Amino acid sequence: MQGNNHDDVRRHNLSIILRLVHRGGATSRAQLTRLTGLNRSTIGALVAELAEHGLVEERTPDPTKLAGRPSPIVAASGQVVAIAVNPEIDAITVGVVALSGEVYRTIRRATATSPTATEAVQLTASIVADLRREMSEYSIVGIGVAMPGLVRASDGLVRHAPHLGWVDEPFCDLLAAATGLPVVVANDASLGASAERYFGAGQGMTDLIYLNGGSSGIGGGLIVGGVVAGGRAGYAGEFGHTRVSSSSRTDSAGIAGTLEAEVTRDALLEVLGLRGSETDADALERALLASDSPIVHAEVARQLDFLAVALASAVNVLNPQLIVLGGFLAALHAADPDRLSRAVAARTLGAAFDEVQIAPALLGSNLLTVGAAELAFEALLLDPQEIVGNIAAQPVLGVRAAELVAATNLHDPHLPD
Amino acid sequence: MQGNNHDDVRRHNLSIILRLVHRGGATSRAQLTRLTGLNRSTIGALVAELAEHGLVEERTPDPTKLAGRPSPIVAASGQVVAIAVNPEIDAITVGVVALSGEVYRTIRRATATSPTATEAVQLTASIVADLRREMSEYSIVGIGVAMPGLVRASDGLVRHAPHLGWVDEPFCDLLAAATGLPVVVANDASLGASAERYFGAGQGMTDLIYLNGGSSGIGGGLIVGGVVAGGRAGYAGEFGHTRVSSSSRTDSAGIAGTLEAEVTRDALLEVLGLRGSETDADALERALLASDSPIVHAEVARQLDFLAVALASAVNVLNPQLIVLGGFLAALHAADPDRLSRAVAARTLGAAFDEVQIAPALLGSNLLTVGAAELAFEALLLDPQEIVGNIAAQPVLGVRAAELVAATNLHDPHLPD
DNA sequence: GTGATACGTTGCCAATGTCAACAAATCATG
DNA sequence: CATGATTTGTTGACATTGGCAACGTATCAC
């Protein structure tokens, strides 16, 4: 419940314009006036301010076939970048994404064992330090981390990442201390949801559900009323633990009969006679489509029916516009789209399922990179004027990263000093 | 993606202040400055404007024990009212609620049979006409309708109200035409959720789930990130059709093994040997608590465990702060609160259930009246300046209501003319 | 080249919130 | 009861911002 003053108006308008050119790509000033409803002169002034701060660039107009003075094209800057980090069991991926949306680099550094939080921080910080040296002419707004686990939204604490074996790790604060950059952490599937929403299958949608099937389970994220729904603490989106059967098969959290227990990539690989380590989602999909084994079909049908139970509940409760399926769930869906659709329809209220679409994720390997970068950009998009002052002033801490990690134990009273 | 201009600032600030005094009760101007962060002089001007329009009243300061000049108390007007309507199978309830929050009247008019939409419109319009004559010195901002069924948010069309046997009824438009007042319709359980959120068990909460158990099924509503989540079309909140068992028992929509099929008031009444028509929620709760029959306990346990399955899924997906149970579900919960809590905990991720509370609804018989009135007030709260001009200028159409209904068939090409 | 069209640019204006100075109302103290 | 401290309302000057209208400019069609 906060009041608005003058500054807020300016802030809001700058934010809106930067969002439009960031998410919608290069846009003419004339289009911006139409989209925002603001006056031509206002748009001119606002764009000039953004350009002055180096956040957008104005290009000469595209040749158009229309009469009238051509309007300059406003594009998000390619010089302003965010760093995306995704820790996994066997590797850490670091990406560099420009405000213009372009993914400049993705660096995947394999690890021998599943990294501890401190190891992950050190490795990430050293990659980031290298990147900063190489890309010294770019402005880095911050680091976004896609974490496979529950992340407390209030302070970025990694409550539980079963995949990595982390419990209550202040990864966010550690990485911030090690790099000197602002760091924001969120659940990977939630970031996948927002990436698909802004740049993938869900463009322009306000209510969507994203479900991702990985080798170790099923995660998800939701967009409700146009905003990413994190829930009270940020743990929302755990569709994998929805109960779908009365079997005693348990999932990674030890709960029986859940979606994650019944619908697994391993079971699909087994009936196909494939190895997980050699099979990505595309290969799995091809194999499923190519197979004419009745055993495979039966397993696909079994899993789809369980998936339908979970989706139906979600549709009844959330009435989304779109369900996006990623990872092996996309392959499963592709194997028999009609079956899934019919099974969901049978378990939902007619009206609620009316306009629901089920679609595969469009963003492939860049999904989490884009999503995590988006997270890092959020502060800038929210208040361009405020943030822009900081990003230029950041010293390159890079080399000292490892020392800093060792020296700093932020927010963790349990560690000895 | 809209730009902000000057008018929006004023509109927003007026809206904030009116919301604060409406939802939070009488508030001193000094408190308003602190809550909004606006300047003293600005608050003064804004409150004066609201007072001038008759939306708030300034009272002499409460005697306080603090030094300093006492600050005038700003209270929402008691002269500005909304009309709340709740059609049911056997009656129509019409309430009058002031902007101050006070419920002035509730009129329950029984019907011999379940009313058709047209009958419901006529009956409602005649009650409203009487009310307007009796309350001619009050300003009516509009009518809010709590509908037991799916309501399309975009135009208020009642898609399906199984209870009443309505399908695709333009109740909203018909009632608007019959009364000449603005009418807004929404699902009853969603309104219950927002009523509990603003004035009941969920005050100040941003993420809550509301589940209501009625004689004919289970409905619900959700608040996600501080806003009522309607989903794409407005059908969100149908928790009753979540699958909780593999039994073949079907619910009102014909879906098997759902919460609504397994958890029913009738089954509780049966083991208690009670009659539904004579037993309200309080009586049911007393009977459950008083009973020492093992059959009753077993049925309570059975139902609680199924309820836990549905709640657990919802907790995992939505990570709410609070679950509010109304109707017979409150009685069920009261009968064995620990069992429900433990059963939900067993099926949820530890972290996600950490801070979740389960509580009975606090608003009793006024729940839907308050919720529906809130819906009608929403337009005024959103833009006090704009709406206030209209409410004074409305002619009293009352007497001609029935004729208007007969003469107007809005948005319904299927009716003969 | 001329006109039509669409858009950027410029200077002026109105609306609004902030601020500082002052006035008013209360309590505590003697 | 007078005085001071404290808190808050009130008032008028002020800065910021977006809207607006007039004008300039760049393109297309003929």
Side-chain angles (χ1 to χ4, degrees):
Chain A
M1 285 295 204
Q2 284 224 343
N4 247 355
N5 52 25
H6 290 143
D7 302 349
D8 294 330
V9 178
R10 187 81 172 190
R11 196 195 329 277
H12 180 245
N13 287 341
L14 286 170
S15 168
I16 290 292
I17 293 178
L18 192 56
R19 278 200 145 83
L20 283 171
V21 300
H22 168 59
R23 304 236 165 98
T27 312
S28 76
R29 260 159 69 177
Q31 280 175 289
L32 289 175
T33 58
R34 281 188 289 266
L35 289 168
T36 59
L38 295 172
N39 194 278
R40 287 205 298 255
S41 33
T42 308
I43 291 291
L46 292 170
V47 168
E49 182 167 344
L50 289 174
E52 192 181 323
H53 291 314
L55 295 174
V56 302
E57 284 150 10
E58 285 198 277
R59 294 202 307 255
T60 53
D62 287 336
T64 165
K65 289 291 155 205
L66 295 169
R69 178 175 178 174
S71 189
I73 304 295
V74 183
S77 166
Q79 297 300 112
V80 175
V81 299
I83 293 177
V85 175
N86 177 219
E88 294 169 281
I89 346 176
D90 55 351
I92 288 181
T93 307
V94 177
V96 179
V97 183
L99 190 59
S100 59
E102 204 178 334
V103 178
Y104 286 153
R105 314 249 330 237
T106 50
I107 298 160
R108 186 181 162 91
R109 197 72 61 87
T111 55
T113 59
S114 172
T116 66
T118 315
E119 287 165 5
V121 167
Q122 287 176 338
L123 183 50
T124 306
S126 96
I127 301 174
V128 169
D130 292 345
L131 281 173
R132 294 177 90 173
R133 268 190 298 270
E134 288 173 41
M135 308 185 71
S136 56
E137 70 274 32
Y138 293 85
S139 299
I140 302 172
V141 298
I143 299 177
V145 183
M147 182 65 58
L150 297 182
V151 180
R152 194 202 275 160
S154 54
D155 57 359
L157 184 79
V158 180
R159 286 301 309 277
H160 185 45
H163 218 74
L164 300 166
W166 296 4
V167 174
D168 289 342
E169 294 286 354
F171 183 79
C172 178
D173 294 333
L174 291 174
L175 189 58
T179 59
L181 289 168
V183 178
V184 196
V185 185
N187 173 264
D188 55 354
S190 291
L191 294 181
S194 79
E196 282 291 336
R197 185 264 176 109
Y198 289 125
F199 304 105
Q203 289 192 41
M205 305 262 174
T206 56
D207 290 84
L208 70 86
I209 293 172
Y210 169 77
L211 274 180
N212 184 66
S215 60
S216 63
I218 293 176
L222 36 158
I223 313 282
V224 176
V227 297
V228 181
R232 173 58 186 169
Y235 310 145
E238 292 295 331
F239 288 96
H241 310 284
T242 301
R243 185 182 170 100
V244 297
S245 87
S246 51
S247 95
S248 57
R249 239 179 272 190
T250 58
D251 61 21
S252 62
I255 311 176
T258 62
L259 178 64
E260 196 174 280
E262 298 291 351
V263 177
T264 67
R265 194 173 71 138
D266 287 350
L268 290 176
L269 292 172
E270 194 182 317
V271 293
L272 286 166
L274 294 172
R275 289 217 170 169
S277 52
E278 303 159 358
T279 315
D280 64 5
D282 287 344
L284 177 62
E285 182 168 332
R286 281 194 303 275
L288 284 175
L289 287 171
S291 169
D292 53 3
S293 151
I295 298 177
V296 170
H297 286 184
E299 177 63 15
V300 165
R302 193 188 70 86
Q303 295 205 8
L304 282 175
D305 288 352
F306 283 130
L307 180 58
V309 170
L311 291 183
S313 292
V315 167
N316 283 326
V317 170
L318 293 165
N319 181 218
Q321 194 172 6
L322 175 71
I323 298 169
V324 181
L325 298 175
F328 84 85
L329 293 180
L332 193 60
H333 173 239
D336 195 348
D338 282 350
R339 182 178 190 104
L340 183 62
S341 204
R342 271 184 281 112
V344 174
R347 303 192 175 287
T348 46
L349 300 177
F353 191 61
D354 261 4
E355 298 167 14
V356 181
Q357 293 175 30
I358 304 179
L362 286 186
L363 271 39
S365 56
N366 279 337
L367 178 77
L368 292 186
T369 302
V370 169
E374 201 57 23
L375 186 64
F377 281 132
E378 183 54 31
L380 176 67
L381 294 173
L382 207 61
D383 190 353
Q385 220 169 4
E386 176 69 21
I387 303 299
V388 79
N390 307 340
I391 58 180
Q394 285 157 9
V396 179
L397 297 175
V399 231
R400 296 195 298 133
E403 300 160 49
L404 270 166
V405 175
T408 347
N409 295 317
L410 282 174
H411 287 209
D412 197 337
H414 303 299
L415 286 175
D417 52 11
Chain B
M1 284 296 202
Q2 284 225 345
N4 246 358
N5 54 25
H6 287 143
D7 302 347
D8 294 331
V9 177
R10 188 77 173 197
R11 197 194 326 277
H12 179 244
N13 287 342
L14 286 170
S15 168
I16 291 290
I17 293 177
L18 193 56
R19 279 200 143 83
L20 283 170
V21 300
H22 168 59
R23 304 236 164 98
T27 312
S28 76
R29 261 158 70 176
Q31 280 176 288
L32 289 175
T33 57
R34 281 187 289 266
L35 289 168
T36 59
L38 295 171
N39 195 280
R40 288 205 297 258
S41 24
T42 309
I43 292 290
L46 292 170
V47 168
E49 183 166 344
L50 289 174
E52 191 181 323
H53 291 314
L55 295 173
V56 303
E57 283 149 12
E58 284 196 279
R59 293 203 308 255
T60 53
D62 287 335
T64 164
K65 290 291 156 205
L66 295 168
R69 178 175 178 172
S71 190
I73 304 295
V74 182
S77 166
Q79 297 299 113
V80 175
V81 299
I83 293 177
V85 176
N86 178 219
E88 293 169 281
I89 345 173
D90 55 351
I92 289 181
T93 307
V94 177
V96 179
V97 183
L99 190 59
S100 60
E102 203 178 336
V103 178
Y104 285 153
R105 314 253 325 240
T106 51
I107 298 160
R108 186 181 160 91
R109 196 71 61 88
T111 55
T113 59
S114 171
T116 66
T118 314
E119 287 165 4
V121 168
Q122 286 177 338
L123 183 51
T124 306
S126 96
I127 302 173
V128 169
D130 292 344
L131 281 172
R132 295 178 88 173
R133 266 190 299 269
E134 287 174 42
M135 309 185 71
S136 55
E137 71 273 33
Y138 293 84
S139 298
I140 302 171
V141 298
I143 300 177
V145 183
M147 182 65 59
L150 297 182
V151 180
R152 194 201 275 159
S154 54
D155 58 358
L157 185 78
V158 179
R159 286 302 307 280
H160 186 45
H163 219 73
L164 299 167
W166 296 3
V167 174
D168 289 343
E169 293 287 353
F171 183 79
C172 178
D173 293 335
L174 290 175
L175 189 58
T179 59
L181 289 168
V183 179
V184 196
V185 185
N187 174 266
D188 55 354
S190 293
L191 295 181
S194 79
E196 283 291 335
R197 184 266 177 108
Y198 289 125
F199 304 105
Q203 289 192 40
M205 305 263 174
T206 56
D207 291 83
L208 71 85
I209 292 172
Y210 170 76
L211 274 180
N212 185 65
S215 60
S216 63
I218 294 176
L222 36 159
I223 313 283
V224 175
V227 296
V228 180
R232 173 59 186 168
Y235 310 144
E238 291 295 331
F239 288 96
H241 309 285
T242 301
R243 186 182 170 100
V244 297
S245 88
S246 51
S247 96
S248 56
R249 238 179 275 191
T250 58
D251 61 19
S252 62
I255 312 175
T258 62
L259 179 65
E260 197 173 280
E262 299 290 350
V263 177
T264 66
R265 194 172 70 137
D266 285 351
L268 290 175
L269 291 172
E270 195 180 318
V271 294
L272 286 166
L274 293 173
R275 288 223 171 162
S277 50
E278 303 158 357
T279 316
D280 64 7
D282 286 345
L284 177 61
E285 182 168 331
R286 282 193 302 273
L288 285 174
L289 287 172
S291 169
D292 53 2
S293 151
I295 298 177
V296 170
H297 287 184
E299 177 62 15
V300 166
R302 192 188 70 85
Q303 294 206 9
L304 281 175
D305 288 352
F306 283 131
L307 179 58
V309 171
L311 290 183
S313 292
V315 167
N316 283 327
V317 170
L318 293 165
N319 182 219
Q321 193 173 5
L322 175 71
I323 297 169
V324 180
L325 298 175
F328 84 85
L329 293 180
L332 192 60
H333 172 240
D336 195 348
D338 283 350
R339 182 179 190 105
L340 183 62
S341 204
R342 272 184 280 113
V344 174
R347 305 191 174 286
T348 46
L349 301 177
F353 191 62
D354 261 3
E355 297 166 15
V356 181
Q357 293 174 29
I358 304 178
L362 287 186
L363 270 39
S365 56
N366 279 337
L367 179 77
L368 292 186
T369 302
V370 169
E374 202 56 23
L375 186 65
F377 281 132
E378 182 54 31
L380 176 67
L381 293 174
L382 206 62
D383 190 352
Q385 220 169 7
E386 176 69 22
I387 303 298
V388 79
N390 307 338
I391 58 179
Q394 286 158 13
V396 179
L397 296 176
V399 230
R400 295 195 298 131
E403 300 160 48
L404 270 164
V405 174
T408 347
N409 295 317
L410 282 174
H411 289 209
D412 197 336
H414 302 301
L415 286 175
D417 52 11

